[in-house]
Amino acid sequence: MMRVLKVFLLIFMTLQVVGQDYFIKKISFDDRTNDGVKIFYHQDRLFALIGHFCGNLECASIAELSFNGDTLWVTTIPDIDVARSTITIYGNTITVSGNNDPYNTQFRMAHYNLNGQKLGETIEIEHPTEKFTRMFQLNTVKYGDNVLVTGTGEQNDTAYSLIYVMDNQSQIDTLIKIEPSSKYSVMWDVEINSNGELLTFHELDQGGSSEEYRKIIKYNQNLDTIWSYTSEMHNGGGPAVLELEDGRIIYTKYADNASPHHYALRAINPDKTIDWQYQVSNGLESIGNLKQLKNGDIIGLGRFTNKLFEPEINRSPQLFRMTTDGELIWRRVFYELDLSDNESRSGGVRDIVEFDNGDLFGIGEMKYDGQNEVFVFKVDADGCLDGDNCGLRQLITAVKDVHQNKGIDIYPNPSSGVFYIGLNEKYYNGKIKIYNSLGIEIL
């Protein structure tokens, strides 16, 4: 039973509350394959980047989501094919960039306000003299006064990792070509550390799988190289890197058995020695993203397989939490049985953000009838949809149906005067604190 309280505020305010409902639900943007790419928590609002199709061409949408995972608005971007992290939000501007599918001979960029309205025209990122083919963009990041667009491209049978430095007028200031290879050179990830330095994470192959290796380069704010690390050969794997405040760097690599779906994590010290290495002992996993939480713990995102379970887990979406010393704290797998073949649905978790109370809000995709569908979720700090029933497998029967109500409903939200709080009597002994938009407790 819900008991409703009517609350009057005598000052003008905007109320923004992160509720205690935990859920996983499906959101659709197109009737073909959808990929949940990126989630942002910016100015107390949630924004998502989705990759999908516009007709026969790959394109994208940006959307604002409520804290309950509902879509508030969607803007389709028909002329840009996005990738794993080709969006950045700064101030009141959303910048999206990517490829010009199907030709992949240039990068593109477009700007939007925080309500999804386009600002100006789509910009073609093309150097006047340096031309490339088979280009693929992977990251967009705000760096000082510039925006960096990074990826890969081929030129005269040589592959390069590329950094386009865009000025505040979205014009090319500098093009940096690095790590040439006759086979391939891919810049998978970029990160800005706590000192304002730029890390780039590369996968290189100089001729075959036995010559595949990783390289990490650190730049100062003038984009001069100040540190680099090169792994041993046959060290490919996942696409993520993360630098800790103490200077240790964690990156994804193949596990020792070198299975294409079995990744590991390696932590290296500033002197380039190996500090620790972690790989799951029972099962296979792909790690597509690494995030550091407010208390310093690491969250890994991707897929997980364990065929010893009954029914088995086969490339299901997962997230795990570990200490900075490589000790696993917990692992959660979103598991749904596909009745057509009695196997778990494949998918992956792509990105998460952390709220101030420790809750995690994430995005990913899961496969239905041969097509990916985007799902969003909110779990507690232990990765649980239901704290009273939480183990390795977070069982779900249908993505859109899982919703654990924790007994509170607040509306309208935001509010500038009067709002209502509905409380389940089971939880009525709890406390409610109200904050204004500056984070100041007022009631």
Tab-separated table of all heavy atoms in Angstrom, residues 176-201:
chain	number	residue	atom	x	y	z
A	176	ILE	N	47.751	14.002	-36.381
A	176	ILE	CA	48.894	13.225	-35.909
A	176	ILE	C	48.748	11.795	-36.407
A	176	ILE	O	47.742	11.122	-36.117
A	176	ILE	CB	48.985	13.255	-34.375
A	176	ILE	CG1	49.078	14.702	-33.869
A	176	ILE	CG2	50.184	12.437	-33.891
A	176	ILE	CD1	49.021	14.825	-32.360
A	177	LYS	N	49.740	11.315	-37.158
A	177	LYS	CA	49.786	9.918	-37.623
A	177	LYS	C	50.824	9.188	-36.774
A	177	LYS	O	51.977	9.617	-36.711
A	177	LYS	CB	50.177	9.845	-39.101
A	177	LYS	CG	49.222	10.525	-40.052
A	177	LYS	CD	49.524	10.141	-41.504
A	177	LYS	CE	50.925	10.516	-41.914
A	177	LYS	NZ	51.204	10.202	-43.332
A	178	ILE	N	50.419	8.078	-36.156
A	178	ILE	CA	51.340	7.340	-35.295
A	178	ILE	C	51.195	5.846	-35.517
A	178	ILE	O	50.208	5.358	-36.061
A	178	ILE	CB	51.092	7.668	-33.804
A	178	ILE	CG1	49.596	7.580	-33.480
A	178	ILE	CG2	51.629	9.014	-33.433
A	178	ILE	CD1	49.269	7.901	-32.036
A	179	GLU	N	52.196	5.112	-35.092
A	179	GLU	CA	52.191	3.650	-35.098
A	179	GLU	C	51.863	3.053	-36.462
A	179	GLU	O	50.906	2.288	-36.614
A	179	GLU	CB	51.218	3.125	-34.030
A	179	GLU	CG	51.495	3.643	-32.631
A	179	GLU	CD	52.940	3.392	-32.209
A	179	GLU	OE1	53.432	2.249	-32.343
A	179	GLU	OE2	53.578	4.345	-31.745
A	180	PRO	N	52.646	3.341	-37.496
A	180	PRO	CA	52.370	2.754	-38.809
A	180	PRO	C	52.603	1.242	-38.812
A	180	PRO	O	53.455	0.722	-38.101
A	180	PRO	CB	53.368	3.468	-39.727
A	180	PRO	CG	54.484	3.880	-38.815
A	180	PRO	CD	53.840	4.199	-37.505
A	181	SER	N	51.809	0.551	-39.628
A	181	SER	CA	51.924	-0.906	-39.729
A	181	SER	C	51.495	-1.335	-41.124
A	181	SER	O	50.543	-0.795	-41.690
A	181	SER	CB	51.035	-1.588	-38.689
A	181	SER	OG	50.932	-2.982	-38.941
A	182	SER	N	52.182	-2.328	-41.668
A	182	SER	CA	51.797	-2.875	-42.965
A	182	SER	C	50.574	-3.773	-42.854
A	182	SER	O	49.922	-4.073	-43.855
A	182	SER	CB	52.962	-3.677	-43.563
A	182	SER	OG	53.322	-4.746	-42.690
A	183	LYS	N	50.225	-4.183	-41.622
A	183	LYS	CA	49.065	-5.057	-41.401
A	183	LYS	C	47.905	-4.239	-40.850
A	183	LYS	O	46.970	-3.930	-41.570
A	183	LYS	CB	49.443	-6.174	-40.423
A	183	LYS	CG	48.356	-7.219	-40.228
A	183	LYS	CD	48.194	-8.108	-41.443
A	183	LYS	CE	47.224	-9.243	-41.134
A	183	LYS	NZ	47.017	-10.113	-42.301
A	184	TYR	N	47.928	-3.891	-39.579
A	184	TYR	CA	46.948	-2.946	-39.050
A	184	TYR	C	47.465	-2.266	-37.798
A	184	TYR	O	48.315	-2.790	-37.083
A	184	TYR	CB	45.578	-3.597	-38.807
A	184	TYR	CG	45.504	-4.642	-37.727
A	184	TYR	CD1	45.444	-4.288	-36.374
A	184	TYR	CD2	45.443	-5.988	-38.046
A	184	TYR	CE1	45.341	-5.252	-35.385
A	184	TYR	CE2	45.350	-6.957	-37.066
A	184	TYR	CZ	45.299	-6.587	-35.749
A	184	TYR	OH	45.210	-7.537	-34.768
A	185	SER	N	46.910	-1.067	-37.581
A	185	SER	CA	47.231	-0.243	-36.420
A	185	SER	C	45.924	0.401	-35.976
A	185	SER	O	45.350	1.217	-36.700
A	185	SER	CB	48.262	0.823	-36.787
A	185	SER	OG	48.458	1.734	-35.724
A	186	VAL	N	45.437	0.007	-34.806
A	186	VAL	CA	44.129	0.463	-34.327
A	186	VAL	C	44.293	1.140	-32.972
A	186	VAL	O	44.866	0.546	-32.045
A	186	VAL	CB	43.139	-0.712	-34.203
A	186	VAL	CG1	41.788	-0.215	-33.700
A	186	VAL	CG2	42.980	-1.426	-35.542
A	187	MET	N	43.793	2.360	-32.837
A	187	MET	CA	43.765	3.030	-31.548
A	187	MET	C	42.418	2.711	-30.898
A	187	MET	O	41.398	3.319	-31.212
A	187	MET	CB	43.938	4.534	-31.694
A	187	MET	CG	44.077	5.256	-30.354
A	187	MET	SD	44.067	7.054	-30.516
A	187	MET	CE	45.482	7.325	-31.556
A	188	TRP	N	42.411	1.745	-29.973
A	188	TRP	CA	41.158	1.282	-29.395
A	188	TRP	C	40.579	2.235	-28.362
A	188	TRP	O	39.373	2.409	-28.259
A	188	TRP	CB	41.363	-0.086	-28.731
A	188	TRP	CG	41.292	-1.237	-29.666
A	188	TRP	CD1	42.306	-2.117	-29.984
A	188	TRP	CD2	40.159	-1.682	-30.419
A	188	TRP	NE1	41.874	-3.059	-30.877
A	188	TRP	CE2	40.558	-2.810	-31.161
A	188	TRP	CE3	38.846	-1.222	-30.545
A	188	TRP	CZ2	39.680	-3.504	-32.005
A	188	TRP	CZ3	37.984	-1.904	-31.391
A	188	TRP	CH2	38.400	-3.020	-32.109
A	189	ASP	N	41.424	2.839	-27.561
A	189	ASP	CA	40.896	3.601	-26.434
A	189	ASP	C	41.773	4.810	-26.178
A	189	ASP	O	42.979	4.802	-26.477
A	189	ASP	CB	40.853	2.709	-25.181
A	189	ASP	CG	39.858	3.206	-24.134
A	189	ASP	OD1	39.161	4.199	-24.395
A	189	ASP	OD2	39.784	2.591	-23.057
A	190	VAL	N	41.169	5.853	-25.623
A	190	VAL	CA	41.902	7.015	-25.139
A	190	VAL	C	41.361	7.366	-23.764
A	190	VAL	O	40.192	7.113	-23.450
A	190	VAL	CB	41.779	8.228	-26.089
A	190	VAL	CG1	42.369	7.936	-27.446
A	190	VAL	CG2	40.324	8.681	-26.226
A	191	GLU	N	42.215	7.943	-22.943
A	191	GLU	CA	41.803	8.345	-21.601
A	191	GLU	C	42.615	9.541	-21.169
A	191	GLU	O	43.791	9.672	-21.527
A	191	GLU	CB	41.997	7.199	-20.600
A	191	GLU	CG	41.553	7.578	-19.201
A	191	GLU	CD	41.881	6.501	-18.181
A	191	GLU	OE1	41.245	5.453	-18.204
A	191	GLU	OE2	42.777	6.739	-17.357
A	192	ILE	N	41.991	10.425	-20.389
A	192	ILE	CA	42.692	11.557	-19.782
A	192	ILE	C	42.848	11.248	-18.306
A	192	ILE	O	41.856	10.997	-17.606
A	192	ILE	CB	41.915	12.859	-19.991
A	192	ILE	CG1	41.753	13.135	-21.489
A	192	ILE	CG2	42.630	14.024	-19.310
A	192	ILE	CD1	40.812	14.259	-21.810
A	193	ASN	N	44.089	11.226	-17.799
A	193	ASN	CA	44.319	10.845	-16.413
A	193	ASN	C	44.128	12.035	-15.473
A	193	ASN	O	43.798	13.146	-15.889
A	193	ASN	CB	45.690	10.196	-16.239
A	193	ASN	CG	46.848	11.162	-16.484
A	193	ASN	OD1	46.686	12.391	-16.477
A	193	ASN	ND2	48.031	10.617	-16.685
A	194	SER	N	44.327	11.810	-14.196
A	194	SER	CA	44.082	12.848	-13.187
A	194	SER	C	45.060	14.011	-13.301
A	194	SER	O	44.818	15.080	-12.728
A	194	SER	CB	44.152	12.237	-11.781
A	194	SER	OG	45.421	11.633	-11.558
A	195	ASN	N	46.159	13.832	-14.025
A	195	ASN	CA	47.111	14.920	-14.236
A	195	ASN	C	46.859	15.683	-15.533
A	195	ASN	O	47.657	16.538	-15.918
A	195	ASN	CB	48.543	14.362	-14.253
A	195	ASN	CG	48.950	13.761	-12.921
A	195	ASN	OD1	48.606	14.308	-11.865
A	195	ASN	ND2	49.669	12.653	-12.957
A	196	GLY	N	45.766	15.353	-16.218
A	196	GLY	CA	45.463	16.017	-17.474
A	196	GLY	C	46.293	15.517	-18.635
A	196	GLY	O	46.378	16.187	-19.679
A	197	GLU	N	46.909	14.348	-18.496
A	197	GLU	CA	47.700	13.758	-19.576
A	197	GLU	C	46.831	12.784	-20.373
A	197	GLU	O	45.905	12.193	-19.846
A	197	GLU	CB	48.915	13.036	-18.997
A	197	GLU	CG	49.843	13.966	-18.247
A	197	GLU	CD	50.776	13.231	-17.293
A	197	GLU	OE1	50.445	12.097	-16.892
A	197	GLU	OE2	51.808	13.810	-16.918
A	198	LEU	N	47.163	12.640	-21.640
A	198	LEU	CA	46.398	11.800	-22.552
A	198	LEU	C	47.060	10.439	-22.718
A	198	LEU	O	48.265	10.362	-22.970
A	198	LEU	CB	46.272	12.483	-23.911
A	198	LEU	CG	45.495	11.718	-24.991
A	198	LEU	CD1	44.000	11.778	-24.704
A	198	LEU	CD2	45.798	12.291	-26.377
A	199	LEU	N	46.255	9.371	-22.553
A	199	LEU	CA	46.722	8.013	-22.827
A	199	LEU	C	46.047	7.495	-24.088
A	199	LEU	O	44.833	7.643	-24.261
A	199	LEU	CB	46.357	7.070	-21.673
A	199	LEU	CG	47.475	6.624	-20.733
A	199	LEU	CD1	47.927	7.823	-19.927
A	199	LEU	CD2	46.990	5.516	-19.837
A	200	THR	N	46.815	6.885	-24.989
A	200	THR	CA	46.243	6.206	-26.146
A	200	THR	C	46.632	4.734	-26.085
A	200	THR	O	47.757	4.390	-25.693
A	200	THR	CB	46.736	6.821	-27.465
A	200	THR	OG1	48.172	6.725	-27.536
A	200	THR	CG2	46.321	8.269	-27.569
A	201	PHE	N	45.703	3.870	-26.474
A	201	PHE	CA	45.867	2.424	-26.335
A	201	PHE	C	45.715	1.791	-27.708
A	201	PHE	O	44.651	1.856	-28.325
A	201	PHE	CB	44.812	1.897	-25.365
A	201	PHE	CG	44.898	0.424	-25.084
A	201	PHE	CD1	46.092	-0.164	-24.721
A	201	PHE	CD2	43.769	-0.377	-25.179
A	201	PHE	CE1	46.172	-1.522	-24.452
A	201	PHE	CE2	43.830	-1.735	-24.907
A	201	PHE	CZ	45.042	-2.303	-24.543
